[in-house]
Amino acid sequence: MADSSYSGKDIQVLEGLEAVRKRPGMYIGTTGPKGLHHLVYEVVDNSVDEALAGHCTVIDVNIHPDNSVTVVDNGRGIPVDNVPKYRKSGVEVVMTMLHAGGKFGGEGYKVSGGLHGVGVSVVNALSTLLEVEVRRDGKIHRQSYSCGKPQGPLKPAGNTKTTGTTITFMADASIFETLDYSFDTLSTHMRETAFLNKNLKITLTDERELEPRREEYRYAGGIVDFVKYLTGTKETLHSKPVYIDSTGAEGTVEVAMLWNTGYTETVLAFANNINTHEGGTHLDGFKNALTRTINDYARRQGILKEKEDNLSGEDIREGLTAVISVKLREPQFEGQTKTKLGNTEMRGFVQSVITQQLAEFLEEHPKPARAIVSKSTQAAKARAAARKARELTRRKGLLESSTLPGKLADCSVRDPAFTEIYLVEGDSAGGSAKQARDRSFQAILPLRGKILNVERAGLNRALGSEEIQAMIAAFGTSVAEEFDITQARYHKAIIMTDADVDGAHIRCLILTFFYRYMRQMIEEGYIYIAQPPLYKISVGKSHTYAYSDKELQEHLTTLPSTSRYQIQRYKGLGEMNPEQLWETTMDPAKRTLLQVSLDDALAAEEAFSNLMGDQVEPRKAFIQRHARDVRFLDI
Ligand code: 0RA
């Protein structure tokens, strides 16, 4: 009788999961490292939803030596009862039906969604093995799946006094390019999630090392701790971040703000724990309110005179680190990468909450209020001066590509879609690169030593630096407010530095410049990092290269024990002759390039503001830790 409809629905389910396996990109974006990490985020998101609903306080994430991952939570546990409509257990519905999330039970408490929120069934479909354990009503229940298919029914497996869900999955190596999870990438995400969910404890354990690495994130201050973390060791204008929160029919909004004496603006906006890189209504509402309220205050206090212009939003946000976090029932995500919040009701809601509570804060805290206004007026003056300097420089033609820098060896092809520019550390390596290159499409710009640290100098002084002028002129895009990506003369800019600590530092300086003044180049995926080899291994007349110590060891073990070999360690690009440089690092057919992306705002902030700021020691430590590991920028 009902059997036919049962199997009919079953077939639908299988077709659904099969579709995910056939076109994984449609569901998780990519099958590269980014997609792989998304699987973990997706599973964790489900547990975070339990926390948002007020039923879960601890989430443990564990990377096992075989690259499987376990996520444990102490929530209510996925419902195990039969769902009449589907004639399956709740667990099986969640695990096999697309978008079944937490909503099937009626009451839609689930506020997460958008970029993740594709459902844990997608993770199931893309895993060769997935095991789920539910602790609920005093009982333990287990079920396992392979490529999304149940390997048997949900079975009782003993008694327990606790509640919660444990999911272990092994991503399908035939679908993903790699199963190599990056501890740093997961750590950044878990920390960010902990910041956004006050008091939620998340632990991350990596069992792949002999000595397991474990970190724990739990922040009683939530986003207040987040802005403190982002501010790092910078000097601040006030000691306690400004904190505003409110709940209305539209949802909830929370904002934390802390101004430092630096020049850069770091404003991160989240909707339902998702980083809305492209902004949206919540960010617009915040910015409008901030600009208006500070201007109103400055006028009322007589700091801004009647005849003076209003302070601009940019002036007010100079040196500001802020986190805006909204939570709402039905988020609409728009934009190219679906990271722009579209809900129109959020603009007015955020704007009125911020306007009211910020005005109150300013009245009640005159000291920080005056410091913030005075910083903004100084910013306005500096901005006017920088504009003048830029006009002067431009009049001299230094930033324009009509006068290409003398050191640039340009390529002959004109279509930027096919051309690339190598930014090379040092004149001697630059010379080798010029000989090695394919001059039709590869341009070379040698940069002398350490370029100026723009994080500490500000745009005005940066424009005085010859190396920076040369880069801007070569790219053809101009810079800062005048930056125009459509004028880019190359769609690949490849940073090529020595594989040592100095090289890592120079790479960081160049990236800082892009990050602050040509961010779109990173967003568009124009920025790459070259990977020169660390070793040359010669056996008789043949040779190979190793790009890491691990690769060297692996290669040596493949050699017959009788063979005599020689290892050359490259200390810098300069030790390679042009042929070697071409063969190992520049030949598009053989080289590996790491594309720099900004997906992980937190990682980028850690790298750029804390490290390129005033303090030397944390920077040194970080650079040494990451000297050969640029993954923190890469995923
Ligand atoms: C559906 C409904 C309920 C909870 C969950 C799903 C749930 C899913 C996951 C996934 C990982 N951990 C989870 N914890 C809970 C509500 C249950 C109820 O009403 O008791």
Side-chain angles (χ1 to χ4, degrees):
M1 31 161 226
D3 249 64
S4 60
S5 81
Y6 179 85
S7 61
K9 284 209 170 98
D10 252 17
I11 289 167
Q12 244 182 343
V13 164
L14 285 178
E15 279 173 350
L17 295 189
E18 208 39 54
V20 176
R21 291 181 59 80
K22 272 207 189 100
R23 310 185 67 184
M26 289 255 301
Y27 298 84
I28 53 162
T30 98
T31 52
K34 208 164 137 183
L36 179 75
H37 289 77
H38 262 303
L39 299 184
V40 183
Y41 305 159
E42 183 56 47
V43 177
V44 171
D45 266 3
N46 285 279
S47 303
V48 171
D49 282 337
E50 270 298 276
L52 284 173
H55 301 285
C56 163
T57 54
V58 184
I59 302 173
D60 297 308
V61 181
N62 209 325
I63 319 164
H64 303 296
D66 64 356
N67 290 324
S68 63
V69 173
T70 298
V71 178
V72 186
D73 72 45
N74 65 348
R76 287 168 294 183
I78 308 177
V80 294
D81 290 345
N82 224 43
V83 181
K85 194 172 156 198
Y86 302 113
R87 296 160 188 250
K88 294 176 198 286
S89 68
V91 171
E92 199 168 323
V93 171
V94 168
M95 288 300 161
T96 59
M97 303 195 53
L98 294 176
H99 299 289
K103 283 203 181 124
F104 76 91
E107 194 75 346
Y109 72 78
K110 190 181 167 81
V111 291
S112 85
L115 199 62
H116 319 144
V118 287
V120 73
S121 57
V122 168
V123 179
N124 193 14
L126 300 176
S127 298
T128 48
L129 181 68
L130 183 145
E131 290 174 331
V132 54
E133 177 187 291
V134 173
R135 298 169 293 282
R136 203 179 152 98
D137 303 327
K139 301 236 161 19
I140 301 172
H141 310 261
R142 290 209 184 100
Q143 189 175 25
S144 55
Y145 295 83
S146 177
C147 302
K149 296 189 192 89
Q151 302 298 290
L154 182 71
K155 278 195 203 129
N159 300 322
T160 177
K161 288 200 175 90
T162 63
T163 67
T165 305
T166 300
I167 292 173
T168 300
F169 68 94
M170 166 74 91
D172 190 334
S174 70
I175 290 178
F176 289 93
E177 287 161 30
T178 168
L179 297 190
D180 189 14
Y181 292 97
S182 151
F183 185 89
D184 288 350
T185 300
L186 291 177
S187 152
T188 301
H189 187 92
M190 297 313 151
R191 179 182 283 113
E192 188 171 294
T193 304
F195 277 132
L196 292 167
N197 298 280
K198 206 178 287 182
N199 278 319
L200 173 62
K201 180 166 124 186
I202 306 181
T203 70
L204 176 62
T205 307
D206 189 347
E207 294 174 350
R208 294 171 302 177
E209 310 284 329
L210 274 175
E211 183 80 3
R213 187 169 166 197
R214 183 176 181 280
E215 283 183 5
E216 185 178 313
Y217 320 101
R218 177 173 184 253
Y219 301 100
I223 61 169
V224 166
D225 289 340
F226 200 170
V227 295
K228 283 189 194 158
Y229 176 84
L230 291 170
T231 302
T233 53
K234 287 181 204 155
E235 190 188 335
T236 58
L237 296 189
H238 47 116
S239 52
K240 261 174 70 183
V242 183
Y243 177 73
I244 292 170
D245 74 336
S246 183
T247 300
E250 298 86 349
T252 68
V253 57
E254 265 190 294
V255 172
M257 296 181 267
L258 181 57
W259 273 267
N260 64 68
T261 57
Y263 305 105
T264 57
E265 168 187 338
T266 304
V267 177
L268 305 183
F270 297 84
N272 291 356
N273 294 333
I274 289 162
N275 191 332
T276 39
H277 293 283
E278 298 171 282
T281 50
H282 54 336
L283 184 61
D284 295 345
F286 165 77
K287 286 185 176 177
N288 287 343
L290 180 64
T291 307
R292 281 199 210 162
T293 312
I294 299 283
N295 270 297
D296 282 357
Y297 177 80
R299 293 222 183 264
R300 238 177 309 123
Q301 295 290 316
I303 306 169
L304 204 56
K305 299 287 180 305
E306 230 172 280
K307 57 178 190 330
E308 288 178 297
D309 282 342
N310 260 354
L311 300 164
S312 75
E314 282 180 355
D315 296 333
I316 292 167
R317 296 191 303 274
E318 189 182 282
L320 170 66
T321 302
V323 172
I324 302 144
S325 171
V326 298
K327 290 182 179 138
L328 63 165
R329 289 257 152 215
E330 284 181 36
Q332 268 138 37
F333 292 101
E334 304 169 347
Q336 286 235 315
T337 55
K338 291 270 178 278
T339 58
K340 183 174 182 185
L341 186 69
N343 302 58
T344 50
E345 74 277 11
M346 272 295 149
R347 185 180 291 108
F349 173 59
V350 173
Q351 189 166 327
S352 74
V353 169
I354 304 296
T355 302
Q356 200 188 340
Q357 294 196 36
L358 181 60
E360 254 171 56
F361 171 87
L362 296 172
E363 293 300 336
E364 286 166 15
H365 302 86
K367 250 189 159 168
R370 290 193 161 260
I372 293 163
V373 173
S374 137
K375 160 97 177 149
S376 305
T377 43
Q378 277 169 28
K381 284 186 193 129
R383 203 175 297 277
R387 200 169 291 127
K388 268 202 198 111
R390 210 149 59 232
E391 276 157 17
L392 217 70
T393 319
R394 182 160 321 101
R395 228 168 289 139
K396 288 196 219 133
L398 286 176
L399 299 183
E400 274 167 22
S401 53
S402 52
T403 47
L404 287 171
K407 295 195 300 179
L408 174 75
D410 209 4
C411 51
S412 52
V413 170
R414 279 282 140 263
D415 184 343
F418 300 107
T419 62
E420 47 192 53
I421 181 169
Y422 274 86
L423 307 171
V424 186
E425 169 185 358
D427 287 335
S428 86
S432 297
K434 283 180 189 178
Q435 289 179 51
R437 69 180 176 142
D438 180 331
R439 60 179 59 236
S440 67
F441 70 97
Q442 293 179 316
I444 309 293
L445 182 66
L447 297 172
R448 192 165 302 144
K450 303 265 157 101
I451 75 160
L452 186 75
N453 182 348
V454 295
E455 192 70 28
R456 279 182 286 182
L459 183 58
N460 208 354
R461 262 189 60 213
L463 292 176
S465 147
E466 222 177 277
E467 310 301 311
I468 288 178
Q469 285 175 5
M471 282 202 291
I472 299 170
F475 297 152
T477 55
S478 193
V479 70
E481 288 148 66
E482 280 93 25
F483 178 81
D484 179 1
I485 190 113
T486 66
Q487 297 302 306
R489 300 179 63 252
Y490 319 89
H491 285 185
K492 279 201 177 83
I494 302 162
I495 303 167
M496 186 159 75
T497 58
D498 291 343
D500 60 9
V501 173
D502 272 350
H505 188 199
I506 292 166
R507 182 168 66 224
C508 231
L509 291 167
I510 297 173
L511 286 171
T512 304
F513 170 72
F514 282 122
Y515 182 75
R516 291 301 179 199
Y517 299 117
M518 297 189 171
R519 195 170 297 186
Q520 225 188 323
M521 296 272 279
I522 305 182
E523 286 165 353
E524 294 292 328
Y526 286 4
I527 311 296
Y528 295 83
I529 293 167
Q531 294 284 284
L534 278 184
Y535 301 100
K536 179 182 179 182
I537 309 139
S538 310
V539 186
K541 280 204 182 85
S542 70
H543 59 259
T544 42
Y545 299 96
Y547 292 80
S548 65
D549 290 306
K550 198 168 153 225
E551 235 181 78
L552 175 67
Q553 293 314 323
E554 280 168 5
H555 185 78
L556 292 182
T557 56
T558 65
L559 294 178
S561 55
T562 51
S563 57
R564 285 154 59 85
Y565 55 82
Q566 215 181 359
I567 299 173
Q568 182 187 355
R569 179 170 170 51
Y570 291 120
K571 288 190 205 72
L573 298 164
E575 292 176 21
M576 274 183 273
N577 63 37
E579 290 73 38
Q580 289 170 333
L581 195 57
W582 168 256
E583 187 177 36
T584 60
T585 318
M586 295 177 72
D587 177 0
K590 294 192 190 140
R591 71 185 177 192
T592 328
L593 293 182
L594 294 178
Q595 191 175 38
V596 177
S597 85
L598 275 190
D599 257 6
D600 216 326
L602 189 59
E605 280 305 318
E606 189 186 4
F608 291 110
S609 58
N610 285 341
L611 298 161
M612 307 316 284
D614 311 314
Q615 302 271 328
V616 178
E617 278 319 308
R619 175 163 70 243
K620 266 199 181 151
F622 185 92
I623 289 171
Q624 275 160 8
R625 193 150 61 83
H626 291 280
R628 280 292 291 183
D629 179 15
V630 285
R631 284 188 301 184
F632 70 99
L633 292 170
D634 191 49
I635 293 178

